[in-house]
């Protein structure tokens, strides 16, 4: 399914975007994945390295290659579609390195699991966003690292080796930092796992610069492509393409710049902010100005009303109104105000039942597991003491001017995201036996049913000995 084809059997390719920019190709891929049911959690995939149906199959195909089998040290990006690759690395007992998300608090983490944590459920938890923070051992740019294989996430790639990321520059900066660490050797291959529709025969060469990282190997759920590598790898960080603000957002870049300048190398930055930051600042400034205008408008109206009242009080005694008349006017003005229409009651779109839950499992354990898999029901009806619970998903409200950017979840995507999910007991109440053995949860559709009114807040660590209606997403719709 290359270049946006809907089925493998089809030979018709999607037209090239009229505006030839990296962003136009990104939007084309994001929209195709969403509209054709190929996108997975987290949704929507816009502005992300998109998670796609078949990510696990692509990871399995990569694991079959000699380049993966022979690799002892592997660096994999922290995005969701490459999670199966990270799982496979730990299962095969390879040394796994994962970059710190957005390089905000460091650079690389080496994943180190306790010896007893070798179960599949423990490994999947370790490579999740929270798990990488828990089990990751931070490395600095001065540490010694040697990589045999680098796996990157992509939005679009070509058979010539060109790669388009999500537009923030994280992947290219990570590669430049690894070049500085001498972690990238001439024989270190760079691979990516993507859906077939993300692969183009060719991409315009003029869109790519010396900072763009080329791809050596493309792995999809159905094929393995060795690219032609039409461009050279970056030799390091290209400082003239970075702004001072970028260094403030990513302290590791500032550390590297200090090291380079002490060594006598020129590290001149660009004067302006990077393009993506400029657009973000402009949008933020526009929102701030609009908010200020609204605030001033409300303030002026309030001050005007106050001035009118003061004017009436300052008039002569003949023009003053009696307290009775003033109260009656006040009551009349309240009656004249239009009543705010009631918010319509939420309607359940579909319901998913999760069973085989351990009696000692707490609500927060399941909520964390759901969050790691990107599942966000509006309401959870918890009956853990009976071994099951219900997840209710409401029908979405009509979008306001967002077009096709948001796609609500459906029954199939939720069940797929929760497949093979295991959850162990958390100890139960004092004096009870622990039940730490993980259980494979059973996820199945359930007939929609209107949940009761949610009660007061339920403590996150409350034992599963009584049913509860737990709002999962914030703010949760009110249910009557």
């Amino acid at each position: 399914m290359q270049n946006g084809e809907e089925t493998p059997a089809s030979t018709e390719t999607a037209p090239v975007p009229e505006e030839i920019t990296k962003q136009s190709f990104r939007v084309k891929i994001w929209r195709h994945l969403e509209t054709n049911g190929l996108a997975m959690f987290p949704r929507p995939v816009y502005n992300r390295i998109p998670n796609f149906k078949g990510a696990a199959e692509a990871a399995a195909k990569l694991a079959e290659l000699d380049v993966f089998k022979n690799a002892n040290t592997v660096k994999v990006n922290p995005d969701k579609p490459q999670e199966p690759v990270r799982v496979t690395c730990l299962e095969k007992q390879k040394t796994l390195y994962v970059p710190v998300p957005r390089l905000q608090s460091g650079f690389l983490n080496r994943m180190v699991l306790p010896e007893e944590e070798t179960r599949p459920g423990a490994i999947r938890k370790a490579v999740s966003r929270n798990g990488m923070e828990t089990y990751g051992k931070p490395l600095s740019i001065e540490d010694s690292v040697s990589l045999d294989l680098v796996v990157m996430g992509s939005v679009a790639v070509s058979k010539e080796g060109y790669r388009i990321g999500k537009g923030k520059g994280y992947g290219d900066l990570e590669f430049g930092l690894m070049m500085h660490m001498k972690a990238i050797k001439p024989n270190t291959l760079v691979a990516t796992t993507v859906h077939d529709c993300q692969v183009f025969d060719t991409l315009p060469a003029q869109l790519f610069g010396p900072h763009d990282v080329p791809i050596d190997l493309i792995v999809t759920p159905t094929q393995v492509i060795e690219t032609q590598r039409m461009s050279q790898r970056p030799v390091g960080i290209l400082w003239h393409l970075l702004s001072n603000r970028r260094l403030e957002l990513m302290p590791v870049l500032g550390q590297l710049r200090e090291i380079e300048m002490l060594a006598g190398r020129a590290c001149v930055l660009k004067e302006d902010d990077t393009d993506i930051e400029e657009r973000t600042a402009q949008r933020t400034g526009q929102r701030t100005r609009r908010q200020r205008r609204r605030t001033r408008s409300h303030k002026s109206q309030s001050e005007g009303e106050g001035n009118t009242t003061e004017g009436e009080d300052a008039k002569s005694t003949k023009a003053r109104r009696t307290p009775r008349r003033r109260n009656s006017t006040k009551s009349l003005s309240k009656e004249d105000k239009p009543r705010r229409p009631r918010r319509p009651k939420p309607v359940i779109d579909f319901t998913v039942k999760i069973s085989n839950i351990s009696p000692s499992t707490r609500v927060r354990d399941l909520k964390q597991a759901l969050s790691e898999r990107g599942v966000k029901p509006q309401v959870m009806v918890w009956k853990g003491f009976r071994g099951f619970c219900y997840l209710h998903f409401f029908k979405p409200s009509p979008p306001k001017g967002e077009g096709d950017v948001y796609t609500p979840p459906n029954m199939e995507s939720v069940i797929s995201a929760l497949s093979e999910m295991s959850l162990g007991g958390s100890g139960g109440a004092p004096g009870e036996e622990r039940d730490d053995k993980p259980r494979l949860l059973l996820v199945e559709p359930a007939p929609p049913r209107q949940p009761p009114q949610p009660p007061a807040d339920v403590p996150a660590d409350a034992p599963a000995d009584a049913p509860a209606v737990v709002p999962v997403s914030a703010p949760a719709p009110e249910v009557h």
Side-chain angles (χ1 to χ4, degrees):
M1 282 194 297
Q2 296 177 9
N3 303 353
E5 296 178 8
E6 296 187 359
T7 59
S10 173
T11 58
E12 180 181 358
T13 59
V16 175
E18 296 181 1
E19 183 184 10
I20 307 300
T21 64
K22 286 183 178 179
Q23 185 64 14
S24 64
F25 283 98
R26 293 186 189 102
V27 173
K28 168 187 169 66
I29 292 299
W30 288 329
R31 181 177 292 121
H32 180 83
L33 290 170
E34 287 285 356
T35 57
N36 289 274
L38 302 175
M40 297 289 288
F41 287 105
R43 301 278 297 279
V45 296
Y46 293 86
N47 302 315
R48 303 177 188 270
I49 298 296
N51 193 15
F52 56 91
K53 287 187 176 180
E57 288 78 359
K61 191 170 288 292
L62 173 64
E64 296 173 354
L65 303 178
D66 290 339
V67 64
F68 184 86
K69 294 178 180 179
N70 298 331
N72 294 318
T73 56
V74 185
K75 176 262 178 186
V76 186
N77 59 296
D79 298 282
K80 188 68 174 179
Q82 280 68 50
E83 184 177 287
V85 180
R86 300 193 295 271
V87 170
T88 304
C89 288
L90 294 182
E91 289 178 343
K92 302 296 183 181
Q93 298 182 349
K94 299 181 183 296
T95 302
L96 173 63
Y97 295 93
V98 181
V100 175
R102 301 185 179 182
L103 301 177
Q104 289 182 340
S105 59
F107 177 36
L108 275 182
N109 282 331
R110 182 166 65 91
M111 303 307 299
V112 180
L113 296 183
E115 294 182 0
E116 64 274 10
E117 296 292 343
T118 58
R119 301 166 298 173
I123 292 178
R124 283 195 296 270
K125 181 180 179 180
V127 301
S128 66
R129 181 62 61 92
N130 294 334
M132 287 185 287
E133 296 178 359
T134 302
Y135 298 100
K137 180 181 179 181
L139 300 180
S140 70
I141 54 177
E142 298 180 351
D143 289 325
S144 178
V145 176
S146 179
L147 298 175
D148 299 323
L149 176 64
V150 173
V151 181
M152 302 183 68
S154 307
V155 177
V157 289
S158 76
K159 296 179 180 180
E160 305 158 318
Y162 292 123
R163 168 190 174 271
I164 297 178
K166 59 185 174 184
K168 303 295 180 65
Y170 300 133
D172 298 330
L173 290 173
E174 292 164 5
F175 194 90
L177 289 168
M178 289 186 294
M179 290 294 293
H180 166 81
M181 297 174 66
K182 296 181 173 52
I184 305 294
K185 309 298 181 184
N187 60 342
T188 302
L189 289 184
V190 180
T192 187
T193 56
V194 293
H195 193 274
D196 290 89
C197 70
Q198 296 175 253
V199 182
F200 290 79
D201 289 332
T202 181
L203 287 171
Q206 65 269 23
L207 299 182
F208 302 91
H211 62 284
D212 289 299
V213 180
I215 297 296
D216 301 306
L217 196 64
I218 301 172
V219 183
T220 77
T222 63
Q223 57 183 328
V224 176
I225 303 171
E226 296 183 6
T227 69
Q228 303 172 13
R229 267 276 299 276
M230 303 295 289
S231 60
Q232 299 296 320
R233 293 176 174 178
V235 296
I237 297 294
L238 305 181
W239 298 106
H240 66 281
L241 298 179
L242 301 179
S243 66
N244 186 64
R245 185 180 175 187
R246 175 73 74 161
L247 269 64
E248 293 176 355
L249 295 174
M250 302 176 180
V252 65
L253 292 176
Q255 298 172 11
L256 175 58
R257 185 167 181 257
E258 292 180 0
I259 295 174
E260 295 281 271
M261 294 178 69
L262 289 174
R265 302 183 182 92
C267 302
V268 181
L269 304 177
K270 63 184 294 189
E271 295 182 359
D272 300 327
D273 286 345
T274 55
D275 295 340
I276 186 90
E277 293 168 357
E278 288 178 346
R279 290 196 294 270
T280 303
Q282 290 173 0
R283 289 194 296 268
T284 304
Q286 291 172 358
R287 288 195 296 268
T288 303
R289 287 192 294 271
R290 285 197 297 268
Q291 292 171 356
R292 287 176 179 173
R293 284 198 295 268
R294 287 196 295 268
T295 303
R296 285 197 297 268
S297 175
H298 294 323
K299 185 176 181 181
S300 300
Q301 183 179 2
S302 176
E303 291 174 351
E305 293 172 353
N307 291 336
T308 302
T309 304
E310 291 175 1
E312 292 175 353
D313 292 339
K315 289 180 181 179
S316 63
T317 306
K318 182 178 180 181
R320 283 182 184 172
R321 296 177 179 178
T322 62
R324 184 184 300 274
R325 180 66 176 270
R326 188 160 56 245
N327 291 339
S328 62
T329 304
K330 186 176 181 181
S331 301
L332 181 62
S333 63
K334 284 186 177 181
E335 294 176 356
D336 293 341
K337 289 183 180 179
R339 292 186 177 181
R340 182 178 299 177
R342 289 186 176 182
R343 182 179 299 177
K345 296 180 180 180
V347 179
I348 292 180
D349 187 13
F350 62 92
T351 300
V352 173
K353 181 180 179 182
I354 300 181
S355 53
N356 198 31
I357 299 176
S358 169
S360 60
T361 298
R362 301 181 186 274
V363 176
R364 66 181 179 186
D365 298 331
L366 182 58
K367 289 175 67 175
Q368 181 179 355
L370 294 177
S371 177
E372 292 175 354
R373 291 175 175 253
V375 177
K376 298 180 180 180
Q378 279 75 17
V379 170
M380 176 194 302
V381 178
W382 178 256
K383 296 188 178 181
F385 72 106
R386 296 173 60 184
F388 66 91
C389 72
Y390 292 101
L391 308 181
H392 294 297
F393 296 82
F394 294 143
K395 291 185 177 180
S397 302
K400 297 182 179 180
E402 295 185 1
D404 59 351
V405 174
Y406 173 71
T407 301
N410 53 50
M411 175 82 73
E412 180 183 0
S413 63
V414 171
I415 293 180
S416 177
L418 300 182
S419 62
E420 298 183 359
M421 182 171 69
S422 299
L423 202 63
S426 57
E432 295 182 1
E433 293 184 0
R434 295 181 58 89
D435 182 14
D436 291 330
K437 184 177 181 181
R439 294 190 179 190
L440 182 63
L441 303 184
L442 176 62
V443 183
E444 58 186 339
R449 61 183 69 185
Q450 192 69 10
Q453 175 71 23
D457 293 341
V458 179
D461 58 347
D465 56 359
V469 178
V470 184
V472 178
S473 61
E478 186 177 356
V479 181
H480 298 280

